[in-house]
Amino acid sequence: MAKYVAFNAQHAIDYIKNLVTKDGYDLFDPEQTLSAYEFGDGNLNLVFRISDEQSNSVILKQALPYARCVGESWPLTLDRARIEAEVLLNHGALSPDYTAKVLHHNPEQALTILEDLGHLQILRSAQINAEQFPLLAQHVAHYLSYTGFYNSDFYLTAQDKKAKVSQFTNPELCQITEDLFFNDILREHERNNYPSELQSTVSKLQNNAALHLAIAKLKAKFLSCPQTLLHGDMHSGSIFVDQNTTKMIDPEFGFFGPVGFDIGSFIGNLLLNYCAQNARISEFVSRRNYHSHLLTCLQESYTLFEQQWLTLIAEQTTDNNLKAAGYGEYFMQQVLQDAIGYCGTELIRRTIGLAHVADIDGIEDAQARLNVQHHTLALGEQLVLNAHTCNNKEAFFALLISQLN
Amino acid sequence: MAKYVAFNAQHAIDYIKNLVTKDGYDLFDPEQTLSAYEFGDGNLNLVFRISDEQSNSVILKQALPYARCVGESWPLTLDRARIEAEVLLNHGALSPDYTAKVLHHNPEQALTILEDLGHLQILRSAQINAEQFPLLAQHVAHYLSYTGFYNSDFYLTAQDKKAKVSQFTNPELCQITEDLFFNDILREHERNNYPSELQSTVSKLQNNAALHLAIAKLKAKFLSCPQTLLHGDMHSGSIFVDQNTTKMIDPEFGFFGPVGFDIGSFIGNLLLNYCAQNARISEFVSRRNYHSHLLTCLQESYTLFEQQWLTLIAEQTTDNNLKAAGYGEYFMQQVLQDAIGYCGTELIRRTIGLAHVADIDGIEDAQARLNVQHHTLALGEQLVLNAHTCNNKEAFFALLISQLN
C-alpha cells in the first residue's frame, strides 16, 4: 500500500478516478470530468467535496497527523480515521437512517469517502439561529438506543463483545476527553480558557471537594466501563439536520464506554444552547417559545432513548443472566445518573476548558456572555453534584427546570 | 517457529537441553544428564518435572488444545498459555515473593518453564487436612493488593491500561467463568452436578428473583468492568504453601476485571473448607480451633487487602481525578460488595455446578456431605443477596458469622 500522503484537490480527484475505473466503485460515471475543493477547517482533517458535471458529489475526508486546534502541535494518531470509519460502518448497520454513509475507506491513507450531506445544516449553527427540528429528538434517541443496545452485553456474545472492545480501543482520542472533561476543569491548567471575571466562580468550583469526588466517579467509569460502542463526541457540531433528516458524523472519538456518555453530551449541548439563548433572543415570547422547544426536545430525547432501550432489553436480550427481572430498569437508572453527570461535565468544560461552543462564544455583548457562562457553570456543577439523587427521568427534569429558571 | 507438538518426556528434555546449550539459559549445567516425567492430571495441560543428577529441577508446563475436565471434548485455545505466562510475569514483577517464577516462555509451543515448587503443598490438600498457615493471609493480601493496584486506573496511564486490557483479553477462558459462575447455577443445565436430595433446595434458589437480579449485576461487572489484571482463578488449588511461603500459580483465567473477583474467590474457598470441616473434624475443640483459624485467616486477608489498597491509593495514585478525597474509600466499598457477591457465587457454583471441590466431595458419609452442601448453598445465597447491605468489612464479618453458626 502507498505511504500516507496528505492530499490536495488533485490527489483527491485522481484517487477517486482510480477507484471508479480500476475497482469498479459506483461513485461516478467514469466518463465524467471531476472537480474538487477543500473546505475543512484544516485543524484535524482535510475535507474535500468532489463533484462531477451533473453535480453528483461525495466527500473525501482525510485525517492529518496532528491537531492544531487542541494544542500547539499536538500530534494525533492517524488510526482515528480507521476508528471513525469503522464506527460509522457499525452504527450505520444498526441505525442506517441516522448515520452518515461510508462509501469507501482506506486506512493506510487515513481517508474515508462519505455521502455528501452538504444540503443539510450543522445542528449547532441552526440552533444558534433558533431553528427548530421537530424530529431531532426521535432520531437521536433511535440512533443512540439502537447502536447502544446492539453493541452491549445484553445483545452481543461475550466473545464478540471483547473482540469489538479491542477493535475500538482508542487511547489517544480518549485521552483528549479524559483531559478536557475531567482533569483540566478541576485545576489551573494552561489549556483552560475563561474570562478573568469568572475566576472567583471557577476557583470556588475547583475547591469543591464533593465535585472532585463526583467527577472521580465519572472519570473512573469513562476509563473502565466498556458498556457499548459510543459515538464519543455527540455535540451539536457532529449532527447534520434538516426538518426531516438527522445524520450523525465524525465519531472519531468512538470507543467502548458508559452508555450515559453520549446522551449526556447531547443533552449538555442542548442546555448550552438553552442558556446562550438568554443572551441571544431578546424578545420574551420568542425566547420562551424557543426555550420550550429545546426543553421538549431534551425531554423527548431522553424519554424515547430510555423507552427504546427498555424495549430492546425486554425483547432482544440474549444474555440469560441479564434477562433477570428488574435488571434492565436498574441498568437504565445507572445510565440516567451517568448521563446527568456527563452532561454536567460537558457544560463545565465547554465554559472554562479548552474547547468552547459558538453558541456562547459568539455572543457579542461581553456582560451578556459572562452571565451565560455563570449560568452554564452553575448548572453543570449542580447536575454533577445531584446526579445520584435522580432515581428516574422525572426527577432529572425537575432538577433541570429548577436550575433553568 | 516450529509447529505446536504435544510433548512427551523426551521432547521436554531435548527442548531444555537446546535452551541451555544454544540460548545460554541458566537452567542446568550443560554437562549434566537430565531426566523427566509427566505428572499433570492431563486434562488441561501437560506438566513435566525435569531434573539433573544433582536433583536440581524445573517444571515445564504445556497447554493442550482441549479441556477434558470441563466438558466432553471442549476445545480450548492455546493462547491461554501466553496469558498464563504473561500474567505470571506481570504479577511476578509486582509481588515477586508470592508469584511462581517464569524461567522461559514459548508461545508457539504453548509452553512455560517455571521454578519447581514441588517442595510446597497445594493449599486445598493442606486445608482438607486442617493444616494451618499463619502467613497465608498476609501473603495473599499483599499479592492481591499490589498486583491489583499497580494494574489499575489509579496507577497506570490510561494509554498503558488500554494496551494491557487488550493484551489480556481472554474470551475463551472468561466464557468458562461466565457460564459456570453466573449462568448454569440459575437454571437446569446438563453441566450442573448435585445429588437429587438437593433438588428442592436448588429449585428454590433457582426461582429466587432477587438472586437472579443480584447475579445479573455481578455478571455485568464481570463482563464490563476492567478494573485490574486479575488472577482469574484464585481458588485453593492455585496456591502453593508451606509455613513460610505462599506462591500463586495457574493464572490462565487472567483478564482485566473487577477487583472484588479474586479476593471473593479466595474467601469463598476458605468458606468451602470451613463448612466442609463440620463433617471432617469430629472432635469439638479441634473443629472449633480450626474454624477459628480459618475465620481469622479470612478476616486478616480482607483487612490487610483493604488496608494495603487504601495505602497504595493514598500514596501511589497517579491519576489526578482519582486522588479526590473519599474516592478511594468509595472504590473500596464497591470492591467489598463485589467481593461478597463473587464469594457467594463461588460457594454456589462449587456446590451445584460442574466443578466441585475435594473439601466437600471427599467427605465419605453421604448425609454429612449433604449437610455441608446445604450449608454452602444457603451461605452462598445469603452472601449474594446481602452483599449490598455491607457498607464496611465489619458488616461483612458480622453477616458471615451469623450464617456460619
Side-chain angles (χ1 to χ4, degrees), chain A residues 3-168:
Chain A
K3 213 173 138 263
Y4 173 85
V5 180
F7 276 21
N8 61 28
Q10 191 55 48
H11 286 123
I13 292 172
D14 294 345
Y15 186 86
I16 289 201
K17 272 276 181 202
N18 224 23
L19 268 190
V20 170
T21 53
K22 285 207 179 146
D23 299 337
Y25 267 82
D26 192 21
L27 298 176
F28 292 104
D29 177 348
E31 304 299 306
Q32 292 272 316
T33 303
L34 302 185
S35 61
Y37 65 99
E38 208 277 326
F39 67 104
D41 57 14
N43 275 327
L44 275 158
N45 303 296
L46 297 167
V47 188
F48 301 92
R49 174 169 286 120
I50 297 107
S51 313
D52 68 10
E53 299 156 46
Q54 266 73 50
S55 299
N56 299 309
S57 59
V58 298
I59 298 298
L60 187 152
K61 180 171 175 181
Q62 186 182 38
L64 289 167
Y66 50 82
R68 281 206 302 266
C69 76
V70 177
E72 196 59 31
S73 69
W74 187 328
L76 256 192
T77 174
L78 292 175
D79 189 49
R80 71 188 195 277
R82 176 190 68 79
I83 296 270
E84 177 171 341
E86 292 181 2
V87 175
L88 286 172
L89 289 166
N90 175 299
H91 284 184
L94 297 168
S95 189
D97 291 348
Y98 312 121
T99 310
K101 193 170 167 188
V102 172
L103 305 172
H104 168 81
H105 171 55
N106 178 334
E108 286 76 17
Q109 292 296 339
L111 72 76
T112 304
I113 301 177
L114 296 149
E115 64 176 322
D116 188 356
L117 298 169
H119 56 291
L120 306 176
Q121 295 187 81
I122 286 290
L123 178 62
R124 186 176 312 285
S125 318
Q127 286 191 328
I128 286 173
N129 296 327
E131 292 184 48
Q132 303 194 9
F133 300 94
L135 299 178
L136 175 67
Q138 185 185 316
H139 293 173
V140 169
H142 183 282
Y143 170 77
L144 290 179
S145 55
Y146 276 69
T147 60
F149 174 82
Y150 285 106
N151 282 300
S152 77
D153 292 320
F154 288 99
Y155 183 76
L156 294 177
T157 67
Q159 303 215 9
D160 279 356
K161 169 92 178 324
K162 287 173 174 68
K164 285 194 163 61
V165 169
S166 284
Q167 178 190 351
F168 290 102

Side-chain angles (χ1 to χ4, degrees), chain A residues 73-356:
Chain A
S73 69
W74 187 328
L76 256 192
T77 174
L78 292 175
D79 189 49
R80 71 188 195 277
R82 176 190 68 79
I83 296 270
E84 177 171 341
E86 292 181 2
V87 175
L88 286 172
L89 289 166
N90 175 299
H91 284 184
L94 297 168
S95 189
D97 291 348
Y98 312 121
T99 310
K101 193 170 167 188
V102 172
L103 305 172
H104 168 81
H105 171 55
N106 178 334
E108 286 76 17
Q109 292 296 339
L111 72 76
T112 304
I113 301 177
L114 296 149
E115 64 176 322
D116 188 356
L117 298 169
H119 56 291
L120 306 176
Q121 295 187 81
I122 286 290
L123 178 62
R124 186 176 312 285
S125 318
Q127 286 191 328
I128 286 173
N129 296 327
E131 292 184 48
Q132 303 194 9
F133 300 94
L135 299 178
L136 175 67
Q138 185 185 316
H139 293 173
V140 169
H142 183 282
Y143 170 77
L144 290 179
S145 55
Y146 276 69
T147 60
F149 174 82
Y150 285 106
N151 282 300
S152 77
D153 292 320
F154 288 99
Y155 183 76
L156 294 177
T157 67
Q159 303 215 9
D160 279 356
K161 169 92 178 324
K162 287 173 174 68
K164 285 194 163 61
V165 169
S166 284
Q167 178 190 351
F168 290 102
T169 296
N170 195 357
E172 294 198 42
L173 283 279
C174 281
Q175 200 190 325
I176 295 175
T177 306
E178 288 149 16
D179 287 342
L180 301 188
F181 271 72
F182 310 113
N183 187 66
D184 296 0
I185 58 173
L186 288 177
R187 57 210 92 235
E188 283 183 38
H189 197 289
E190 58 181 9
R191 279 191 296 257
N192 285 340
N193 173 20
Y194 51 85
S196 57
E197 294 87 343
L198 221 53
Q199 185 58 58
S200 72
T201 307
V202 170
S203 298
K204 217 180 288 173
L205 177 142
Q206 291 179 340
N207 286 315
N208 184 336
L211 190 72
H212 278 260
L213 178 57
I215 289 181
K217 296 177 189 177
L218 291 167
K219 168 89 169 280
K221 275 208 174 177
F222 189 85
L223 291 170
S224 284
C225 187
Q227 290 177 332
T228 197
L229 178 56
L230 298 175
H231 178 285
D233 198 22
M234 272 293 291
H235 64 83
S236 312
S238 298
I239 307 177
F240 269 119
V241 284
D242 71 10
Q243 289 303 305
N244 305 307
T245 318
T246 309
K247 297 279 185 186
M248 311 304 157
I249 60 167
D250 291 356
E252 59 199 324
F253 284 78
F255 77 110
F256 273 77
V259 170
F261 185 76
D262 275 351
I263 184 83
S265 302
F266 174 71
I267 285 178
N269 278 268
L270 295 181
L271 292 172
L272 287 162
N273 187 264
Y274 186 105
C275 295
Q277 295 301 354
N278 281 320
R280 287 180 170 277
I281 309 176
S282 51
E283 204 273 308
F284 174 75
V285 177
S286 305
R287 190 168 69 241
R288 192 189 58 188
N289 287 346
Y290 194 62
H291 273 164
S292 157
H293 162 73
L294 283 176
L295 208 54
T296 301
C297 178
L298 185 158
Q299 294 179 331
E300 201 185 331
S301 310
Y302 200 87
T303 302
L304 292 173
F305 166 80
E306 189 180 73
Q307 274 175 8
Q308 286 170 28
W309 255 100
L310 287 170
T311 302
L312 289 166
I313 289 171
E315 294 176 359
Q316 302 286 324
T317 296
T318 61
D319 184 285
N320 275 333
N321 288 115
L322 304 188
K323 284 177 184 166
Y327 181 69
E329 290 71 16
Y330 167 82
F331 180 84
M332 291 309 294
Q333 192 185 72
Q334 306 300 306
V335 167
L336 171 68
Q337 295 180 358
D338 293 347
I340 299 168
Y342 291 121
C343 173
T345 56
E346 174 73 356
L347 286 161
I348 298 170
R349 72 112 179 176
R350 293 294 195 179
T351 308
I352 65 173
L354 174 75
H356 288 203

Side-chain angles (χ1 to χ4, degrees), chain B residues 176-192:
Chain B
I176 296 175
T177 306
E178 287 150 16
D179 287 342
L180 301 188
F181 271 72
F182 310 113
N183 186 66
D184 296 3
I185 59 173
L186 288 176
R187 57 212 91 236
E188 284 183 36
H189 197 289
E190 57 181 10
R191 279 191 295 258
N192 285 340

Side-chain angles (χ1 to χ4, degrees), chain B residues 253-300:
Chain B
F253 284 78
F255 76 110
F256 272 78
V259 171
F261 185 74
D262 276 349
I263 184 82
S265 301
F266 173 70
I267 284 177
N269 278 267
L270 295 181
L271 292 171
L272 288 162
N273 186 263
Y274 185 106
C275 295
Q277 296 299 355
N278 281 320
R280 287 181 170 276
I281 308 177
S282 49
E283 205 273 308
F284 174 75
V285 176
S286 306
R287 190 170 68 240
R288 193 190 56 191
N289 287 347
Y290 194 62
H291 273 164
S292 159
H293 163 71
L294 283 176
L295 209 55
T296 302
C297 177
L298 185 157
Q299 293 179 331
E300 200 185 330

